[in-house]
Amino acid sequence: QAGAELMGARPPATFAVAELSVDRTGLYRLTYEALLNAGIDLKGAPVGQLALVNQGRSVPIFVSSSGKFGPGAYIEFYGEALDTLYSKTNVYVLRVDQSLASRVAVDGKAPDKKAQAAGHYIETNTVERDLAYHFASPNGDPWMDTRMMVYTQPGEWTFQIDAEGYVSDAAPATLDVGLWGLTDLPSDPDHHVVVLFNNVQVAEMVFDGNTDQPLTVALPAGALKSSGNALTLRLPGDTGATYDIVALDKYSVTYPRAFV
């Protein structure tokens, strides 16, 4: 399962213990065969005693079989990545321990026959690449994507983002861009940023100092594509300051996505 990695085993008295490394939040399925391939054999373990633990807390799981765990069986759970400055990896521990075993609730009611299935849901695709570090970040997160600098001549940087499964005209789409100013010079303002999306100007920002300047803007109809979207950030270099340095922290698009 993408985003989860088996990290090994520590054999207790009867059954091995599996450590599951999760770096993306979502639903995970862990099969008996995947465990066995990692050297962790839970064949014959009582299904009712299988337990998943995270940071000392029991995590509810779904187990596909009853009786004994073995070939063809699997567990499912909702895994959450960490959100810290230095790691997104969260570690879950699968063990045989009846006192910690917890199960997800199962709703067996049939759906309303008159109900209409939704045609889309709202998705957010975020690009947050921690490629550079600066101690002077004003938002508490010293990691950033790109340090952009100009003197008195303009410069621009272009970044890519997709909107997989985009359902056009189903709902408005928005663009979020996390920016902060690095320079704080005697001139006022220090920073001038022009934001383009697929070559269409969607925003313009003028601000001063070492400040956090997140931007949220509605995208014009027809501006978003399912793939290959280009976010361009342009620094005109016309503030009168000796130089202008702006950090791109992260960027995202929120849009209606099809159930695929």
Side-chain angles (χ1 to χ4, degrees):
Q1 175 73 36
E5 178 186 355
L6 295 170
M7 298 176 60
R10 297 193 303 269
T14 306
F15 293 101
V17 173
E19 292 184 350
L20 313 177
S21 175
V22 171
D23 58 15
R24 284 191 293 171
T25 296
L27 293 173
Y28 288 91
R29 174 177 291 183
L30 180 62
T31 65
Y32 166 81
E33 288 75 15
L35 286 164
L36 190 62
N37 288 338
I40 303 167
D41 190 358
L42 294 181
K43 184 177 182 180
V47 165
Q49 296 182 22
L50 289 176
L52 189 66
V53 181
N54 175 246
Q55 299 182 25
R57 299 187 300 270
S58 177
V59 177
I61 62 175
F62 171 80
V63 186
S64 67
S65 62
S66 58
K68 303 293 184 180
F69 197 69
Y74 59 85
I75 72 164
E76 292 178 336
F77 68 98
Y78 181 69
E80 296 183 90
L82 294 178
D83 184 14
T84 69
L85 292 182
Y86 302 105
S87 177
K88 292 181 172 59
T89 302
N90 199 359
V91 177
Y92 289 75
V93 178
L94 177 66
R95 63 193 314 140
V96 178
D97 187 337
Q98 188 171 12
S99 66
L100 294 172
S102 179
R103 298 293 179 264
V104 297
V106 177
D107 185 353
K109 296 192 300 291
D112 185 352
K113 293 181 180 180
K114 296 180 180 180
Q116 296 295 317
H120 67 274
Y121 66 101
I122 301 302
E123 170 75 304
T124 298
N125 181 23
T126 301
V127 178
E128 185 173 7
R129 305 179 302 173
D130 295 333
L131 303 180
Y133 179 96
H134 201 287
F135 69 92
S137 166
N139 67 8
D141 181 357
W143 295 102
M144 60 180 162
D145 184 302
T146 302
R147 177 180 179 271
M148 302 177 292
M149 178 177 180
V150 297
Y151 288 91
T152 56
Q153 297 296 319
E156 66 178 38
W157 293 257
T158 298
F159 308 89
Q160 299 295 315
I161 189 167
D162 292 334
E164 184 178 357
Y166 174 51
V167 182
S168 60
D169 302 325
T174 58
L175 168 71
D176 286 89
V177 184
L179 298 169
W180 35 278
L182 268 174
T183 46
D184 189 5
L185 301 175
S187 59
D188 186 356
D190 288 312
H191 313 293
H192 182 192
V193 182
V194 178
V195 181
L196 300 95
F197 195 82
N198 289 333
N199 297 317
V200 176
Q201 182 174 328
V202 294
E204 186 170 10
M205 304 174 66
V206 177
F207 58 101
D208 191 56
N210 179 215
T211 55
D212 190 25
Q213 291 289 325
L215 167 72
T216 299
V217 60
L219 290 174
L224 184 64
K225 303 181 294 185
S226 60
S227 63
N229 297 289
L231 167 65
T232 301
L233 302 177
R234 180 181 298 156
L235 273 60
D238 59 357
T239 64
T242 308
Y243 49 87
D244 183 358
I245 306 178
V246 176
L248 170 64
D249 183 9
K250 59 185 176 181
Y251 55 99
S252 65
V253 288
T254 299
Y255 64 96
R257 178 172 178 167
F259 287 95
V260 176

